[in-house]
Amino acid sequence: MSTETTLDKTPPPPDVLPPVPLSRGSLPRGAAPGVLLAFVAVAAALWQLADVNPAVCGIGAALGYSVVIYAWSRAVEGPRGAFDRLVTAIVSSAFVLALLPLVSVLTAVVDRGLERFDSEFFNNSMLGVVNEGGGASHAVTGTLIITGIAALMSVPIGMMTAIYLIEYGRGRLARSITFFVDVMTGIPSIVAGLFVYALFELFYGPGIRMGFMGSVALSVLMIPVVVRSTEEMLKLVPNELREASYALAVPKWRTIVKVVLPTAIAGIATGVTLAIARVIGETAPLLITVGITRGDNFDPFNERMATLSVYSYTQYQNAPGFAREAFVDRAWAAALTLILIVMALNLVARLIARLFAPKTRS
């Protein structure tokens, strides 16, 4: 028999590995959003109809969505696809759960604040008001004046400090400034108020209250935020821009003014807005340094002034039993006004960033 005939009769080798499909099935495109919406609807129904705690409803909806989407994906897409779906569900659920307190606060403030959010609230003060009526025109004006003066003091100081630390600062002095900025970032707000009150008491005597004291206290809280945000934005400016300016024999100060700052102005504006939003709602330092008044006072260097945060606190704290609802409604309306002012500041910051950001070719 020939060799060729022998080789033809040799049996084929057995399969080493079992056949494995090269592709897996996949869930429909709207499967994950559909399951999520179903659990959100169930949670909302339990909250509204069965009066279940909203936090419990949110956590239950997140857990139910994660379990269902994992099991469904494991049956269709396999273990790897199911694990990817599970991680995505956990991250998404954590994001939604983090938003729940914010949404709850906004809903409560808007719902309760609209009760007195009218023209009378913004056109009248509390002078001569004992029960219902009155408004917070004096508090709105005082908030804008005190916060504006604080910003005028804090923004230049904070920006120049950040420019020094990034562009010029070297050695022990720069390290000391950085250390003290870090310390000031974490001090309680009431400590700033006590410090300013003790400082002004040395010159004006005990019991002194004025709007400028509140501005100084707020500037103590604003300056480290402005320094930190401006410093981070200046670090993001590429060194190539500075070197190109130096190559054209442009002085360093002019490079900073004409190249570095315009490049970082968008982030700086956002940081300044965050600093203002950080202090505009402070109550403790203003309660110590400024106090409260029932009438208008537009002079920050003379007597007490009213601010929205202290106004809201005192309206709630001093509400009498016979007219408590009217006082509480004014407190909620003041809180809603503060939120709207902060939102307006954010819009202004975005507008400034868009107008003054460096133009690039599309």
Side-chain angles (χ1 to χ4, degrees), residues 19-27 72-82:
V20 178
L22 300 180
S23 62
R24 303 284 302 193
S26 61
L27 296 180
W72 191 4
S73 177
R74 187 177 181 88
V76 176
E77 299 177 330
R80 295 184 62 183

Side-chain angles (χ1 to χ4, degrees), residues 52 57 82 118 132 146 151 180 220 266 281 304 312 314 328 331 344 351:
V52 182
C57 293
D118 48 26
E132 296 182 355
I146 292 174
F180 283 113
V220 173
R304 300 168 180 251
S312 179
T314 54
V328 172
L351 180 61

Side-chain angles (χ1 to χ4, degrees), residues 3 51 61 67 89 95 99 107 119 207 210 218 312 315 335 344 348:
T3 306
D51 198 20
V67 172
F95 171 72
L99 284 182
T107 303
S119 59
M210 68 174 70
L218 294 184
S312 179
Q315 287 293 306
V348 170

Side-chain angles (χ1 to χ4, degrees), residues 165 172-183 228 231:
L165 292 176
R172 183 176 300 176
L173 178 60
R175 291 194 298 270
S176 301
I177 294 175
T178 302
F179 172 75
F180 283 113
V181 168
D182 293 337
V183 172
R228 272 286 164 257
E231 195 176 358

Side-chain angles (χ1 to χ4, degrees), residues 1-10:
M1 183 179 295
S2 63
T3 306
E4 183 177 355
T5 306
T6 304
L7 293 176
D8 291 341
K9 293 181 179 181
T10 303

Side-chain angles (χ1 to χ4, degrees), residues 116 121 124-139 283 287 291-295 306-321 323-335:
R116 279 300 318 277
F121 182 78
N124 296 279
S125 66
M126 290 298 296
L127 193 63
V129 178
V130 180
N131 194 343
E132 296 182 355
S137 62
H138 60 310
T283 304
L287 191 62
I292 188 68
T293 180
R294 300 176 66 87
T307 55
L308 280 171
S309 57
V310 179
Y311 173 87
S312 179
Y313 168 76
T314 54
Q315 287 293 306
Y316 181 81
Q317 182 69 19
N318 301 327
R324 182 170 182 81
E325 192 66 26
F327 279 72
V328 172
D329 288 344
R330 286 193 292 262
W332 281 107

